[in-house]
Amino acid sequence: GQTATTLLVSTLKELGAVVRYHIPHRERESHGVNLPALKQLIEEGINLLLTCDTGIDAHQAVDLAETQGVDVIVTDHHDLPPDLPQAFAIVNPKMLPGDHPLHQLPGVGVAYKVAQGLYSAAGRPAAAEWYLDLVALGIVADVAVQTGDTRYLLQRGLEGLRHSQRLGLQAVMEAAGLRGQWLTEEHIGFVLAPRLNALGRLADANAAVELLTTEDLSRARILAAELEGLNARRKLLCDQVTASALAQIERDPSLLEYGALVLSHETWPAGVVGIVASRLAERFNRPTILIATPDGQPGRGSARSVEGVNITAAIAAHQDMLGSFGGHPMAAGLSIDPERIPDFRRALSRTVLEMVGEVRERPPLPIAGYLSLGELTLDLVEQLERLAPFGEGNPPLTLASRDLSLLSHTCVGRNKEHRQLIVEDAGGTAQKVIWWNGAGWPLPEGRFDMACLVRASDYRGQREVQVEWVDARPIEEPGMAAQAPAVGVVDHRHDPNPLERLAQLRSGPDVQVWSAGEGGRIERAGLDRYQLGPSSALVIWTAPPGPDELQAVLEQVSPETVFLFASDPGLDTPEGFLKRLAGLVKHALGAREGRVKVSQLAAATAHRQVTVRAGVGWLAARGHIVVLSEEGDEMRLAQGSGEVSDDVKERAVRLKALLDETAAYRAHFGRADKGTVTGM
């Protein structure tokens, strides 16, 4: 919707039209053509309504507009309802035969065809090609089937995206560390699209149109920085919802006996449940619907399906239980009264079982060829890339290597959600393998065969082979693995008398208390994270600023027992954090000739070092201080001149994003399952 809207707004303005746009706010308006918003626009005098990637079932909205003398042109690609709305015109590729090369066009492809028609009518048919970068972005983001003209447009658009002149896209790539030269559909799917997606899921997607059309580089960078913060928050929320959903299944394994997995929770953010539903559908090989059920409101759910199940058709069979629904064969959205969810789960599962016959085992994994680790080279990757772009309808080739052993593994990523493995074959050749979102899955024991994808990575500007884990199968009886001693986790996060409980724990032998922030550390007589040492018992009094800091402390202390509290240091707002940081800096200027250690500032503010550096940068940009030197952990500061620099707004946006990320992690730490937050 974002790319389709941008494309048509830009086209119409460039051709002389007076254009306004409105993308529904997901939290307030849900999907589709929102009637109150439409009424407001009609009152303000619009005389033509053009929909983007929506509207094919908007009967009420179309009727309202037409009765008010406003023509409606629907451009959409969703499945056709039994009756079409009485619009002035409808442009939808699903009205074409199923084997037509345009049949699988997504919403941005439909918008592009409309733009082509408008430019052709204006005698400038080639002008539409300026928007092919947006088309590529939208095709991959919408997980469109890459056949026919959709595949052709993606191939053309990828080349345009690699050399895009849009300042907004350049700023997003810069912030994400992407090099346009080697950009592929994978970078769209896993880097660019999630950032734009986060805007619509957690904030206001209308800002995407500004980002993709702005001619002000400073504004583009500010918006790109906001996307970085929102994307980090989206990742954390997705991890929280995933952990919560898996905990439900663990408590009630019978949920997996249904033909469809239907879960709900009152605290889940509606904006991210679709992402998590996709994860669970893949993990459990069945259609999955996750429903956010905030107190006193209708439940809002997102569905993701598996091969062989048209989830929208299955949902439609029970529309009498729903407030609304709509979608594709592989994805859908719905609203429902929370009290009807159990009945809906049973009814939907019967329909799904009728479609597939039974709850099927995961189908065999097709292997394109068996290669040794030494044959996984850049030359091979370049040959495989001739078959790109990959995606729905043209999946990447899965390869396999035989008789491997696992040499080492470590969790990587901002939240330690991925695994990096080193595997070795019988000939002694070792290979690094990345297992995306593999942190919660069991590792192979003994020798095994590995299925993988082979791509190219340009991390830090160096193009190299990237081997991605897909699956494994054992080839001999599992060996006896050494078991690490179990660590006990005792949860006191909801203790009604936490100070009394803390005093009891402190009286025990060999107990260390980890607390952060001025008040927490002094009043509780605790240690900051840089003062802790090995101990048999660790009390985590203050909620940590991030998962990396938590894991570092656990490794540093190696406790046998961990006692969880979750005190909030109250320093996660820009005002509170900067007041505390400025006070520490002022003291350093007066007492230590401006010499400070970033680690000490991080401990005293209860934040990550990256946040402290961003805060120091903001103070410098405001003219309060000058950074004279910086070497490793140490900085030397001096009094500033008071002159405000041009990038102060960008630094403020970056700082707030980091503070919001920490606030979200502390909230997660305070309510998630104790094993989830500690990894034990």
Side-chain angles (χ1 to χ4, degrees):
Q2 296 175 10
T3 50
T5 301
T6 302
L7 194 158
L8 285 176
V9 166
S10 299
T11 295
L12 291 165
K13 283 186 175 180
E14 209 268 335
L15 290 173
V18 178
V19 187
R20 298 179 59 182
Y21 59 87
H22 176 77
I23 300 177
H25 190 285
R26 185 185 291 255
E27 191 67 29
R28 297 192 298 266
E29 302 175 58
S30 190
H31 299 283
V33 185
N34 181 264
L35 287 177
L38 176 59
K39 289 176 182 177
Q40 180 66 32
L41 290 167
I42 292 173
E43 289 175 4
E44 293 172 3
I46 65 165
N47 50 37
L48 173 66
L49 173 67
L50 182 63
T51 73
C52 300
D53 201 12
T54 190
I56 196 62
D57 60 353
H59 292 84
Q60 280 186 289
V62 171
D63 291 345
L64 170 66
E66 294 288 349
T67 59
Q68 297 297 314
V70 175
D71 287 332
V72 180
I73 298 175
V74 173
T75 78
D76 200 354
H77 73 116
H78 291 92
D79 289 348
L80 304 177
D83 299 308
L84 296 176
Q86 298 299 307
F88 179 84
I90 295 176
V91 187
N92 189 318
K94 294 298 193 298
M95 301 169 77
L96 298 168
D99 58 354
H100 194 284
L102 294 172
H103 186 78
Q104 297 291 352
L105 275 185
V108 71
V110 179
Y112 180 71
K113 288 296 173 182
V114 172
Q116 275 188 316
L118 292 171
Y119 278 117
S120 293
R124 300 162 51 201
E129 295 185 5
W130 163 252
Y131 304 108
L132 283 170
D133 57 345
L134 297 177
V135 176
L137 185 58
I139 286 173
V140 176
D142 210 16
V143 198
V145 178
Q146 294 178 21
T147 58
D149 276 30
T150 302
R151 178 170 170 76
Y152 167 72
L153 289 172
L154 176 55
Q155 289 171 324
R156 294 280 312 280
L158 272 172
E159 189 58 37
L161 195 56
R162 291 177 186 125
H163 307 284
S164 179
Q165 298 302 302
R166 292 180 201 284
L167 297 181
L169 286 178
Q170 291 176 2
V172 174
M173 291 185 201
E174 178 185 274
L178 274 188
R179 292 163 58 90
Q181 177 185 3
W182 302 109
L183 190 137
T184 69
E185 73 284 351
E186 186 181 16
H187 295 114
I188 298 176
F190 292 98
V191 180
L192 298 179
R195 282 161 169 77
L196 289 167
N197 208 353
L199 189 61
R201 292 181 181 277
L202 302 177
D204 187 346
N206 286 278
V209 180
E210 181 186 2
L211 173 70
L212 296 172
T213 57
T214 184
E215 296 181 1
D216 181 340
L217 183 57
S218 295
R219 180 60 179 160
R221 285 176 171 160
I222 289 173
L223 291 170
E226 290 177 355
L227 286 194
E228 288 296 304
L230 287 169
N231 189 51
R233 183 168 168 241
R234 175 195 63 81
K235 289 180 180 178
L236 182 59
L237 289 173
C238 285
D239 290 342
Q240 292 172 359
V241 174
T242 300
S244 173
L246 292 175
Q248 284 191 32
I249 295 169
E250 186 176 348
R251 289 193 300 270
D252 184 5
S254 68
L255 290 166
L256 292 176
E257 297 174 4
Y258 292 89
L261 179 61
V262 180
L263 306 174
S264 64
H265 199 280
E266 64 273 11
T267 66
W268 288 348
V272 303
V273 292
I275 301 173
V276 180
S278 181
R279 291 182 185 178
L280 299 181
E282 179 181 358
R283 182 163 185 164
F284 296 108
N285 190 40
R286 68 196 62 218
T288 300
I289 303 178
L290 263 58
I291 306 172
T293 56
D295 188 39
Q297 300 179 37
R300 290 172 51 200
S302 287
R304 297 295 185 269
S305 196
V306 296
E307 195 66 33
V309 178
N310 184 328
I311 190 62
T312 298
I315 292 172
H318 308 288
Q319 58 184 292
D320 58 307
M321 297 184 177
L322 306 174
S324 61
F325 76 97
H328 317 277
M330 297 298 289
L334 57 85
S335 65
I336 186 173
D337 183 336
E339 293 184 358
R340 305 210 67 176
I341 291 175
D343 292 338
F344 176 68
R345 177 187 292 117
R346 289 188 289 268
L348 179 70
S349 293
R350 287 193 297 269
T351 301
V352 169
L353 290 175
E354 290 171 2
M355 288 179 168
V356 300
E358 58 182 359
V359 178
R360 301 174 299 175
E361 296 297 322
R362 188 175 300 277
L365 182 64
I367 301 297
Y370 285 84
L371 298 174
S372 67
L373 293 179
E375 292 175 298
L376 306 180
T377 65
L378 270 180
D379 288 340
L380 171 67
V381 171
E382 289 170 1
Q383 293 299 316
L384 295 177
E385 285 178 346
R386 296 172 64 186
L387 304 173
F390 299 111
E392 190 74 20
N394 183 44
L397 297 182
T398 303
L399 305 174
S401 294
R402 299 183 190 272
D403 195 14
L404 307 180
S405 59
L406 179 63
L407 294 183
S408 66
H409 65 92
T410 183
C411 291
V412 297
R414 185 185 296 271
N415 298 311
K416 304 297 184 185
E417 68 271 34
H418 312 303
R419 269 203 174 112
Q420 183 172 282
L421 318 175
I422 304 294
V423 300
E424 183 181 61
D425 63 19
T429 300
Q431 175 64 54
K432 182 170 66 177
V433 180
I434 185 71
W435 187 354
W436 302 117
N437 296 308
W441 292 73
L443 292 164
E445 299 178 3
R447 303 197 72 81
F448 58 93
D449 297 336
M450 176 186 71
C452 62
L453 301 176
V454 185
R455 309 182 194 269
S457 168
D458 62 345
Y459 181 60
R460 291 179 178 169
Q462 184 67 38
R463 190 165 163 84
E464 59 183 27
V465 172
Q466 178 171 286
V467 179
E468 301 178 9
W469 179 282
V470 173
D471 208 344
R473 65 182 180 194
I475 58 174
E476 61 183 30
E477 290 296 320
M480 296 298 292
Q483 296 295 318
V487 177
V489 180
V490 182
D491 193 352
H492 292 301
R493 290 174 297 174
H494 305 293
D495 195 302
N497 299 298
L499 291 174
E500 181 180 326
R501 182 70 61 187
L502 177 63
Q504 294 172 355
L505 293 173
R506 285 184 52 80
S507 65
D510 198 21
V511 176
Q512 291 189 81
V513 178
W514 174 24
S515 62
E518 181 182 30
R521 192 167 66 82
I522 294 175
E523 182 184 340
R524 316 301 170 215
L527 302 174
D528 67 44
R529 60 184 185 266
Y530 302 103
Q531 298 171 324
L532 296 166
S535 176
S536 63
L538 174 67
V539 174
I540 301 178
W541 175 258
T542 310
D548 291 347
E549 289 72 21
L550 172 59
Q551 290 304 315
V553 164
L554 293 175
E555 291 173 11
Q556 186 174 316
V557 177
S558 292
E560 297 173 8
T561 308
V562 174
F563 299 93
L564 293 183
F565 293 84
S567 173
D568 184 352
L571 296 170
D572 293 344
T573 64
E575 296 79 10
F577 171 75
L578 287 169
K579 181 180 179 181
R580 174 71 176 135
L581 180 62
L584 294 167
V585 167
K586 182 178 180 180
H587 174 74
L589 291 173
R592 295 201 298 270
E593 298 180 337
R595 290 184 174 87
V596 295
K597 287 190 174 182
V598 176
S599 58
Q600 292 176 348
L601 294 177
T605 58
H607 271 281
R608 298 172 292 167
Q609 291 192 24
V610 65
T611 308
V612 167
R613 292 182 187 276
V616 169
W618 184 87
L619 291 173
R622 288 288 300 176
H624 299 316
I625 59 172
V626 175
V627 180
L628 298 177
S629 64
E630 182 175 358
E631 184 175 348
D633 187 39
E634 295 189 359
M635 287 183 173
R636 187 172 179 196
L637 312 175
Q639 193 70 40
S641 65
E643 184 176 347
V644 179
S645 66
D646 293 338
D647 64 346
V648 66
K649 288 186 178 179
E650 294 177 39
R651 289 183 180 275
V653 169
R654 170 66 173 158
L655 176 61
K656 186 170 188 310
L658 291 168
L659 291 169
D660 287 347
E661 188 176 332
T662 290
Y665 179 76
R666 290 201 222 269
H668 166 64
F669 185 88
R671 63 173 178 260
D673 178 80
K674 65 181 183 181
T676 300
V677 296
T678 60
M680 298 173 179

